[in-house]
């Protein structure tokens, strides 16, 4: 399979968050800060990622209605009806939860076009953040039709690994 989602965490949520933005877990060049600079405060929360270096919160809080801590990642992905994200992984997890992701294509990232096409995930090329948000809002007002994530059972693989570990443990007594 090309996509595997942890169904113990990513299940249908309550869609208590109408819209949210998740740039991703890496932004070592501070591209998000640069995108935000000319942008007025957006009426949308930002789910922070691991890339937030000390002090970035101070700059970003002026551009988003709320900053959601990275520890709330699963709950936010699960409960956000419309997610704008530059992370294909987050888009797939959102889709698995029955939500409506839109993928913001970053210039510094490569994306699996086959998966994007197969799942029919709408995309927006990163540019002016305010215009990107407007385009996202327009997409949210249309009926989005997504592809289906194929089911994949990991149990046979887990069982095989456990059997090999048992054999190994018998060879190396504790």
């Amino acid at each position: 399979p090309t996509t595997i989602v942890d169904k113990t965490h990513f299940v249908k949520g309550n869609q208590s968050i109408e819209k949210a933005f998740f740039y991703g877990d890496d932004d070592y060049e501070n591209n998000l800060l640069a995108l935000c600079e000319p942008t007025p405060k957006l009426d949308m929360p930002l789910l922070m990622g691991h890339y937030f270096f000390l002090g970035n919160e101070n700059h970003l809080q002026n551009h988003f209605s709320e900053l959601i801590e990275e520890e709330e990642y699963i709950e936010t992905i699960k409960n956000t009806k419309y997610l704008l994200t530059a992370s294909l992984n987050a888009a797939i997890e959102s889709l698995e939860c029955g939500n409506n992701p839109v993928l913001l294509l970053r210039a510094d990232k490569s994306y699996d076009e086959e998966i994007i096409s197969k799942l029919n995930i709408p995309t927006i090329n990163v540019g002016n953040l305010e215009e990107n948000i407007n385009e996202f809002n327009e997409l949210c007002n249309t009926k989005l039709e997504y592809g289906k994530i194929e089911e994949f059972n990991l149990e046979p693989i887990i069982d095989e690994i456990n059997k090999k570990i048992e054999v190994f443990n018998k060879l190396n007594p504790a």
Side-chain angles (χ1 to χ4, degrees):
T2 54
T3 56
I4 298 175
V5 178
D6 183 351
K7 293 179 186 250
T8 58
H9 296 293
F10 296 101
V11 295
K12 183 83 173 149
N14 60 22
Q15 294 187 335
S16 58
I17 303 168
E18 180 70 15
K19 296 174 185 172
F21 179 46
F22 177 63
Y23 192 68
D25 273 327
D26 62 330
D27 184 21
Y28 300 105
E29 302 298 320
N30 287 317
N31 292 324
L32 180 56
L33 289 176
L35 278 173
C36 289
E37 274 315 306
T39 306
K41 191 164 194 158
L42 301 166
D43 186 26
M44 182 181 300
L46 171 69
L47 173 59
M48 300 194 306
H50 295 299
Y51 59 83
F52 280 75
F53 301 108
L54 192 59
N56 282 6
E57 305 92 345
N58 298 332
H59 298 291
L60 292 168
Q61 69 187 1
N62 297 323
H63 297 283
F64 294 92
S65 60
E66 176 186 2
L67 298 183
I68 302 171
E69 296 293 328
E70 67 181 79
E71 292 82 11
E72 297 297 317
Y73 176 86
I74 292 172
E75 289 302 308
T76 302
I77 298 298
K78 185 166 59 173
N79 294 314
T80 299
K81 185 175 182 178
Y82 296 101
L83 178 70
L84 177 61
T85 180
S87 164
L88 180 55
N89 190 59
I92 293 167
E93 292 165 344
S94 173
L95 188 57
E96 181 63 30
C97 295
N99 299 320
N100 303 282
V102 174
L103 190 60
L104 183 68
L105 300 174
R106 291 169 48 178
D108 64 327
K109 292 284 172 199
S110 60
Y111 294 92
D112 189 323
E113 295 294 330
E114 184 179 333
I115 291 174
I116 294 167
S117 177
K118 180 179 173 186
L119 296 177
N120 202 32
I121 299 171
T123 61
I124 298 172
N125 291 315
V126 73
N128 175 289
L129 187 57
E130 189 174 13
E131 290 173 9
N132 290 154
I133 297 295
N134 289 337
E135 189 175 347
F136 170 66
N137 287 332
E138 288 175 21
L139 284 168
C140 294
N141 291 326
T142 63
K143 175 77 173 129
L144 300 173
E145 298 286 337
Y146 295 94
K148 181 89 172 99
I149 297 173
E150 62 187 89
E151 297 288 322
F152 184 76
N153 184 1
L154 287 173
E155 290 304 318
I157 296 171
I158 293 169
D159 290 343
E160 184 67 28
I161 292 169
N162 285 334
K163 286 177 189 172
K164 290 182 184 214
I165 290 172
E166 270 183 48
V167 170
F168 179 78
N169 285 338
K170 287 178 184 175
L171 295 174
N172 295 314

